[in-house]
Amino acid sequence: MVVHSQSAALDHCSLIKTCKPTTSVFKGIPVVDLRDPEAKTLIVKACEEYGFFKLVNHGVPMEFFTRLEAEALKFFNLPQSDKDKAGPPDPFGYGVKKIGSNGDVGWVEYLLLNTNPQITSLKSLTVFRETPEIFRSSAVNDYIQAVKRMTFEVVELMADGLKIEPRDALSRLLRDEKSDSCFRLNHYPPCPELQALGGRNLIGFGEHTDPQIISVLRSNNTSGLQICLSDKTWVSVPPDQTSFFINVGDALQVMTNGRLRSVRHRVLAESMRSRVSMIYFGGPPLSEKIAPLASLMAKGEESLYEEFTWWEYKTSAYKSRLGDYRLGLFEKKTGGAAGQ
């Protein structure tokens, strides 16, 4: 994804959405220290208010960050013809600009990899086979395994804070050998021609919620990530390359009957610096039934959602546009609605 001239850049941008600039940098992002004795309470509070928080003192070695980021950049800096050998995505593999199959595009290129060792994606293997000297699979595996362990701890603390029984009600879904989890590396190249867009921002990755249970994001120190607050205001999240940002996903919103809210977020392109992000998406097995957890329901409380399997929701999500409110199709029409 290399552009050499302003006219070419603007041509490439022609199908990508823009938005009005947002000057508000949000100073109120909840910060949770994983070793804080009050972490379970702080995690729940952050997820109730924002569906989002920053995690520090997480225990994942910085070396894993830097090694994977360096190798990801080596891959993304390869000639386009070499990268294309790992695509098009099926959904795993390499993709550029096109996000999904329903017309969404952004100023982004990415690699989507399966994290389940029981399921091997041919496109994932292509990445390692075609560029073994650049993209060592050990860099990916070391990072993913460390992040998985940390995520299990986070969701168990969340269960403690919510008084969910048993404590592993969430983590067991992510630990399951059939867990439908994935890992994504995003690269947002700099776009110096942004000035020609009349002061508007170029969308790197359009607004959406994540369908899984939980998402764990780490990026370099380039800004671009924004979240949508409850009053519909978009605010920029200050980058922090040493920390993780945790997102509540749609499945977790349903499992908590709307108590925790999946956060709507997007990424804007930068004019001078590239952004690299790496995201672990923790999902349940495809056959898992998604419904509010019994231990969270008050006496007489009704579910806001129809029960569905993760396969049913994932299939529906793939048929939708990125910005659609996908849970709307699964809300009960009587007895209240979750709305968004």
Side-chain angles (χ1 to χ4, degrees):
M1 187 173 174
V2 179
V3 178
H4 296 288
S5 71
Q6 186 178 78
S7 60
L10 294 178
D11 180 56
H12 282 315
C13 295
S14 61
L15 296 178
I16 300 175
K17 290 183 178 180
T18 62
C19 64
K20 294 178 180 179
T22 301
T23 57
S24 176
V25 175
F26 190 50
K27 304 290 188 180
I29 299 292
V31 179
V32 177
D33 183 330
L34 192 55
R35 305 302 158 211
D36 187 331
E38 297 300 315
K40 65 181 182 181
T41 303
L42 296 172
I43 287 172
V44 170
K45 186 174 186 291
C47 291
E48 287 178 335
E49 293 182 3
Y50 299 102
F52 181 86
F53 63 93
K54 181 163 88 168
L55 187 69
V56 301
N57 201 14
H58 44 70
V60 178
M62 190 68 188
E63 172 197 347
F64 289 4
F65 294 177
T66 54
R67 183 160 62 116
L68 181 53
E69 182 179 322
E71 298 207 2
L73 281 171
K74 287 180 184 177
F75 175 83
F76 288 124
N77 287 330
L78 286 172
Q80 191 64 48
S81 58
D82 289 349
K83 291 184 288 188
D84 287 341
K85 293 176 184 177
D90 62 358
F92 301 108
Y94 171 76
V96 57
K97 296 201 197 74
K98 188 177 178 182
I99 302 169
S101 57
N102 300 306
D104 292 297
V105 291
W107 189 256
V108 63
E109 58 181 340
Y110 65 88
L111 275 171
L112 185 64
L113 307 174
N114 198 317
T115 66
N116 190 336
Q118 308 299 320
I119 305 171
T120 302
S121 163
L122 293 177
K123 292 294 177 63
S124 298
L125 288 176
T126 299
V127 175
F128 305 126
R129 184 175 64 247
E130 294 290 343
T131 57
E133 74 289 355
I134 291 180
F135 217 100
R136 300 190 302 269
S137 61
S138 63
V140 174
N141 291 334
D142 288 349
Y143 179 89
I144 289 175
Q145 293 309 312
V147 169
K148 276 185 174 181
R149 288 191 294 270
M150 180 202 71
T151 306
F152 302 156
E153 186 174 0
V154 168
V155 296
E156 287 176 357
L157 284 170
M158 186 184 292
D160 290 342
L162 290 167
K163 297 182 172 56
I164 293 173
E165 296 177 358
R167 185 176 190 253
D168 69 348
L170 298 173
S171 64
R172 71 172 179 82
L173 301 177
L174 307 183
R175 294 179 190 270
D176 194 298
E177 65 178 14
K178 294 181 179 178
S179 166
D180 185 43
S181 299
C182 57
F183 179 65
R184 187 178 181 115
L185 287 162
N186 287 333
H187 178 230
Y188 303 92
C191 186
E193 293 78 11
L194 282 177
Q195 293 90 338
L197 295 176
R200 295 180 64 84
N201 289 123
L202 187 68
I203 298 293
F205 207 107
E207 64 174 271
H208 64 287
T209 58
D210 295 330
Q212 292 86 356
I213 293 173
I214 194 168
S215 307
V216 181
L217 176 144
R218 182 265 166 188
S219 75
N220 63 359
N221 253 2
T222 300
S223 61
L225 176 63
Q226 295 190 330
I227 62 171
C228 188
L229 303 181
S230 58
D231 65 359
K232 310 301 182 186
T233 301
W234 283 98
V235 293
S236 295
V237 177
D240 182 348
Q241 63 184 354
T242 67
S243 302
F244 288 102
F245 292 94
I246 311 295
N247 291 4
V248 170
D250 293 342
L252 185 55
Q253 177 171 320
V254 173
M255 295 173 78
T256 60
N257 208 31
R259 181 172 171 182
L260 308 187
R261 307 290 299 184
S262 56
V263 61
R264 189 162 285 266
H265 53 288
R266 67 186 182 188
V267 176
L268 306 182
E270 271 270 335
S271 62
M272 301 306 293
R273 299 178 61 194
S274 67
R275 175 180 167 88
V276 177
S277 62
M278 42 196 80
I279 311 103
Y280 164 68
F281 297 96
L286 290 171
S287 61
E288 186 69 25
K289 292 181 179 179
I290 307 299
L293 297 167
S295 61
L296 271 181
M297 300 289 280
K299 187 176 180 179
E301 181 181 355
E302 293 187 19
S303 170
L304 300 178
Y305 306 92
E306 304 287 351
E307 184 178 271
F308 53 86
T309 65
W310 170 239
W311 167 255
E312 289 170 334
Y313 188 64
K314 180 179 178 180
T315 302
S316 174
Y318 274 129
K319 293 177 181 177
S320 68
R321 294 295 299 266
L322 195 59
D324 289 347
Y325 177 48
R326 294 174 287 214
L327 278 177
L329 296 175
F330 297 87
E331 288 176 348
K332 287 188 174 179
K333 304 309 177 189
T334 60
Q340 180 162 322

